Every structure is written in structure tokens, then in C-alpha cells.
Amino acid sequence: MTFDFERDGAAHLAGAAAPFLDRLHALAASLPPNKAGLRLHGVSALAELLAADALGAAAVDRLGAATRPVRAILFDKSHAANWALGWHQDRTIAVRERVDAPGYGRWSTKQGLLHVEPPFALFQSMVTLRIHLDAVPAENAPLLIAPGSHRLGRVPEAEIGAAVARCGTAACLAAAGDVWIYSTPILHASAASAGRAHRRVLQVDYTRANLPAGLEWLGL
């Protein structure tokens, strides 16, 4: 299947991260192992890797010159840490401190970092990059997406199954060094890996939006 970003909400950028693989592998090796999803903040050299003239180029091409990374998570499925993730939309962002603002609520702390659920329109102005450090064939838990679901707005939990059934599903296969870019609101899921190989993916949210009422993105 050939993916079109506007139609499907996702696009495959073959080899886009290949020039950065050595640096990405070194970064991964410096982090705690066997973590299901490691939220990255204050990690040396990450901002340079994700900048507009490096891995962030695809996001900037999509959203414009003011685009910057605001959250990064390293997922590492392996024989020591393996899991499945059901169909969902991303619903929270990471911020510097709690400030009460209209439309922002359901505060939570994840790995010591403060998160809040914003108005869903914010996600509709964002893109997410999935940067593949390892090959992801069908047996290595590729991201599953529901093509076109990025246009549905916020889908209530009880209606997600029906939305996926209407849109259908597609697997985002990848070689090491590939990047997938998708519209952040897209419905997505993944199975547990069927193999014993690593499946390391650096997932990065990008936006050009500022937050209201004194709220600030946590950033990198």
C-alpha cells in the first residue's frame, strides 16, 4: 500500500534517518535498558538530532518554520520488555508546570513528568515522527494505523472499535533508518513482538503551536 499523508494521515519516509543511525544507536545505548516507553527529557544531544536541519526536517516541511519538537519517547520492545497496545488516540501533552487553563484538565504524572489533556484541536495541528533504529517487519510489532482516522476528531473510547472497522487497518513496516510521519490524532495500536529482536523506535511530537494562559511545553 502506498500511503498519502493527506488521505491516510501517515507517510513512509524510507531511509530518512539512515544518516543518523550511528548517533541514534549511541543515544539508545546511553539510556536505561528494558523500558517499555522511556520519556526523554534533558538528554544530551537530543535537541541537535531532532532539529529542523536534521531529523526534524520532515515535520518542518509539513508544519512550517516555527515547528519544534515538544516530546520524545523511546520505545524498545525486546524479549526482556514486550507488550501490546490497543487502539487509541494520543490524548496528553507534557508541560513544565501546572497552570489551570480553560479546556486543559485530567492532570497526571508519567515517569516524573507532568502531563495534561488539552483541547483535541491542539493535536490536529501536530505531527508525530516515528524514527526506526531497528527493522520492523510484520513479526516485529509494526505500528498499526486506521487510515483516514485523523479526520474524525476526538473519538470516544466506546466508538474506537467501530471507527477502526470503518477505516480499516494498515501496518507501518520499516527498515532500520526509516521514518514514519503521521498526523498525531490518528488511531493507532501495536501487537507484542513475535520475535526476540529489538524494536527500538524514537517517537517525537512536533508542533508550531504555543500554549495559552502561561502553560509551557516541557520540550526536550
Side-chain angles (χ1 to χ4, degrees):
M1 176 179 179
T2 300
F3 291 85
D4 175 81
F5 187 89
E6 298 300 334
R7 180 192 67 209
D8 303 313
H12 183 198
L13 309 176
F20 306 94
L21 267 181
D22 287 346
R23 292 163 66 186
L24 288 164
H25 287 157
L27 172 68
S30 73
L31 300 171
N34 302 325
K35 298 288 186 181
L38 186 62
R39 287 166 169 80
L40 305 181
H41 179 63
V43 176
S44 176
L46 188 60
E48 183 179 349
L49 265 173
L50 301 180
D53 59 353
L55 288 165
V60 173
D61 287 347
R62 178 62 54 181
L63 297 181
T67 303
R68 71 276 190 197
V70 291
R71 182 169 62 176
I73 306 173
L74 181 69
F75 296 107
D76 183 4
K77 290 187 181 181
S78 68
H79 70 280
N82 201 0
W83 71 95
L85 190 62
W87 287 99
H88 67 286
Q89 291 172 305
D90 291 338
R91 297 282 174 89
T92 63
I93 60 172
V95 296
R96 290 189 179 276
E97 61 181 350
R98 179 164 180 162
V99 178
D100 292 328
Y104 289 73
R106 297 188 179 183
W107 294 86
S108 60
T109 301
K110 303 177 183 181
Q111 295 178 1
L113 305 178
L114 188 62
H115 286 68
V116 66
E117 185 172 319
F120 198 76
L122 180 66
F123 290 114
Q124 295 171 311
S125 67
M126 297 172 65
V127 298
T128 298
L129 299 186
R130 285 178 62 88
I131 301 160
H132 289 270
L133 282 66
D134 303 299
V136 184
E139 66 272 15
N140 204 17
L143 184 74
L144 305 174
I145 62 167
S149 61
H150 64 300
R151 297 191 298 268
L152 300 179
R154 187 184 188 279
V155 181
E157 294 285 341
E159 299 176 17
I160 286 177
V164 172
R166 289 197 308 273
C167 293
T169 65
C172 299
L173 307 182
D178 286 1
V179 174
W180 278 88
I181 181 171
Y182 65 89
S183 179
T184 304
I186 201 167
L187 285 164
H188 57 286
S190 68
S193 176
R196 296 178 63 85
H198 277 281
R199 194 219 65 169
R200 294 169 297 178
V201 177
L202 180 60
Q203 179 173 300
V204 189
D205 294 333
Y206 283 84
T207 187
R208 58 181 298 172
N210 294 317
L211 300 178
L215 275 170
E216 295 183 55
W217 297 96
L218 177 63
L220 303 179

